Amino acid sequence: MAAAEDTIPIQNPSGSDAPKLSDLLDRGWKFYEEVDTTNEPSSSNAVQVKVKRGIMQLEEATRMVNQLDIFSRNEALEEISTTDLKYLVLPALLGALTMKQVNTSKRLEHVQTARVYFMDFLQRCKDYDMCSFQLPKISESKADTPTEVETNHVPLPMSHPDLITMATQRQAKIERFNQRKATEAKLGEIRGLVESGSADEEVVRDFYLLHVRRWVTLALEEIESIDQEIEILKRMEHFKQSAIQPSLPKRAPMKPFILTKDAVQAKVFGAGYPSLATMSVDEWYDQHRQKGCLPDQGIPRSTVDGDAEEDERAERERKEENDDEEALQKARDWDDWKDTHRRGYGNRKNMG
């Protein structure tokens, strides 16, 4: 397969000259290195502007690579020209810059897109037998809602095969780390020759192959982190949806109550708190007056007592006028008693 001609610009539909493929890759790679090594917060506006510009440059470069049909599954690694080897890292750079985006509302979409980029890069490296590694499994569409065991955070018992798997994964991480350090050391040795233009074609080819192998180890680590983050993001989304509950209809306020052993105890001891007034004094009086339960039905007691005394005096005078012996004797005895006893005698209450 013929190599892509970097010196020939590609015409866009508007007729103006488009940037060269190598310039797009170099600018996008430069944006990534600036973002990856900066001391500014990743959420700062300056960093996010570089992230978006880098993604735009690399996306345009990817479209140009597809138009030129640089890579093919039917060719071997030795058939790829030295100048085209560097374009193998385009999907890896796109995935790394996509992970740098910090839009919280679109985080799940970003990490899923980055995983697609990394998987595309690893698959191409696997097709060309770039180095020995195990290709991660394709992310299967799992249920959006966690299972009951996951929701309740009940730990599952760890079996012996799980321990073996964990030990294998740990050993693989250590090997990848050592491999990446060795690759970076070799890159540091020949970087100066390549950038100065004094290196021959074999050294330049080794330089690009080392870059691709370094990104293989980085992509494998990124996919492991992405799979864990996707699981966490889906769980958080499920918790947010379950927290939204329909508003319940308003109910009338309940009256206070007290728990008792039985109904008899409740009648004897009452509710356990002072009873609240249910009517005013005037309402109580009107209610009892209508039922005829009031003494004398509201007639003043002074009037009743006065009429009784008046009737008693009239009855006594009538008996005296009729010469009633009993009444006359009682009157004489009362007069005699008053002659020998002063007024108020025997009134112990008033101490008279």
Side-chain angles (χ1 to χ4, degrees):
M1 179 179 177
E5 296 294 338
D6 291 346
T7 57
I8 301 177
I10 295 180
Q11 299 290 332
N12 59 16
S14 62
S16 60
D17 292 342
K20 291 189 298 183
L21 177 57
S22 60
D23 293 339
L24 291 173
L25 176 61
D26 292 342
R27 286 198 291 263
W29 204 326
K30 183 179 180 182
F31 278 127
Y32 166 74
E33 290 180 347
E34 291 178 356
V35 170
D36 191 51
T37 58
T38 184
N39 293 326
E40 296 184 27
S42 58
S43 59
S44 64
N45 185 53
V47 173
Q48 289 302 305
V49 168
K50 292 181 180 180
V51 169
K52 293 180 180 179
R53 289 180 178 176
I55 291 176
M56 292 175 60
Q57 298 289 332
L58 296 175
E59 286 179 346
E60 182 63 26
T62 302
R63 283 191 289 268
M64 295 175 67
V65 168
N66 294 333
Q67 291 176 6
L68 294 172
D69 198 14
I70 296 177
F71 304 109
S72 174
R73 293 179 180 232
N74 299 325
E75 62 183 1
L77 179 62
E78 293 77 11
E79 300 178 36
I80 303 177
S81 65
T82 301
T83 56
D84 293 341
L85 282 175
K86 58 184 178 181
Y87 301 119
L88 285 172
V89 300
L90 272 173
L93 290 172
L94 272 171
L97 279 176
T98 303
M99 290 292 293
K100 299 290 185 181
Q101 298 182 90
V102 294
N103 191 341
T104 308
S105 60
K106 296 183 179 180
R107 183 58 183 173
L108 181 59
E109 178 184 349
H110 290 162
V111 295
Q112 290 175 337
T113 303
R115 194 184 197 280
V116 173
Y117 284 135
F118 286 126
M119 285 298 298
D120 179 68
F121 167 72
L122 292 175
Q123 183 63 56
R124 185 165 295 175
C125 293
K126 194 72 173 178
D127 294 339
Y128 285 117
D129 197 14
M130 188 70 62
C131 56
S132 177
F133 66 93
Q134 185 177 0
L135 192 66
K137 296 181 180 180
I138 299 177
S139 179
E140 299 177 356
S141 59
K142 299 180 181 180
D144 292 338
T145 57
T147 60
E148 183 179 357
V149 175
E150 293 175 346
T151 305
N152 296 331
H153 302 284
V154 178
L156 296 176
M158 185 174 293
S159 58
H160 186 64
D162 292 332
L163 295 176
I164 297 177
T165 303
M166 293 175 61
T168 304
Q169 293 175 351
R170 181 177 180 274
Q171 184 62 30
K173 288 182 178 180
I174 295 175
E175 292 178 358
R176 287 199 302 266
F177 177 79
N178 295 332
Q179 182 181 358
R180 180 160 59 88
K181 288 299 181 181
T183 303
E184 291 176 351
K186 293 180 181 179
L187 282 172
E189 294 175 359
I190 62 177
R191 183 185 299 274
L193 295 175
V194 175
E195 292 179 351
S196 64
S198 59
D200 56 14
E201 183 178 353
E202 184 178 356
V203 175
V204 174
R205 188 176 185 86
D206 289 341
F207 179 76
Y208 291 147
L209 289 176
L210 288 173
H211 263 301
V212 174
R213 294 189 179 101
R214 174 179 176 270
W215 273 104
V216 168
T217 59
L218 293 175
L220 291 173
E221 294 175 1
E222 288 291 342
I223 287 180
E224 290 183 1
S225 300
I226 287 173
D227 290 341
Q228 296 176 3
E229 186 172 356
I230 288 176
E231 183 179 355
I232 294 174
L233 291 173
K234 287 184 176 181
R235 190 185 298 274
M236 291 174 60
E237 184 65 24
H238 170 68
F239 287 158
K240 289 180 181 179
Q241 294 177 359
S242 61
I244 302 176
Q245 298 179 354
S247 58
L248 300 176
K250 294 183 179 180
R251 297 184 300 177
M254 297 179 61
K255 295 182 178 180
F257 63 95
I258 186 172
L259 297 177
T260 55
K261 293 183 179 180
D262 48 35
V264 176
Q265 184 180 4
K267 292 180 180 179
V268 173
F269 295 104
Y273 48 83
S275 300
L276 303 177
T278 58
M279 64 179 67
S280 63
V281 177
D282 295 336
E283 291 174 347
W284 180 90
Y285 181 83
D286 294 338
Q287 180 179 352
H288 283 69
R289 183 177 57 80
Q290 293 175 3
K291 294 180 179 180
C293 300
L294 293 176
D296 302 324
Q297 283 300 99
I299 301 175
R301 294 190 62 84
S302 59
T303 306
V304 176
D305 295 341
D307 292 344
E309 294 177 359
E310 186 70 24
D311 294 342
E312 184 179 356
R313 188 181 302 106
E315 180 65 21
R316 185 169 57 252
E317 291 176 355
R318 184 183 60 79
K319 290 181 179 181
E320 292 175 356
E321 291 176 357
N322 294 335
D323 297 332
D324 187 350
E325 293 295 335
E326 183 180 357
L328 291 174
Q329 185 60 39
K330 187 175 181 181
R332 294 190 187 100
D333 294 340
W334 175 245
D335 292 336
D336 295 340
W337 190 86
K338 289 193 294 181
D339 291 341
T340 58
H341 297 80
R342 61 186 180 87
R343 184 177 178 82
Y345 175 81
N347 187 357
R348 303 298 298 171
K349 182 177 181 180
N350 293 330
M351 303 300 290

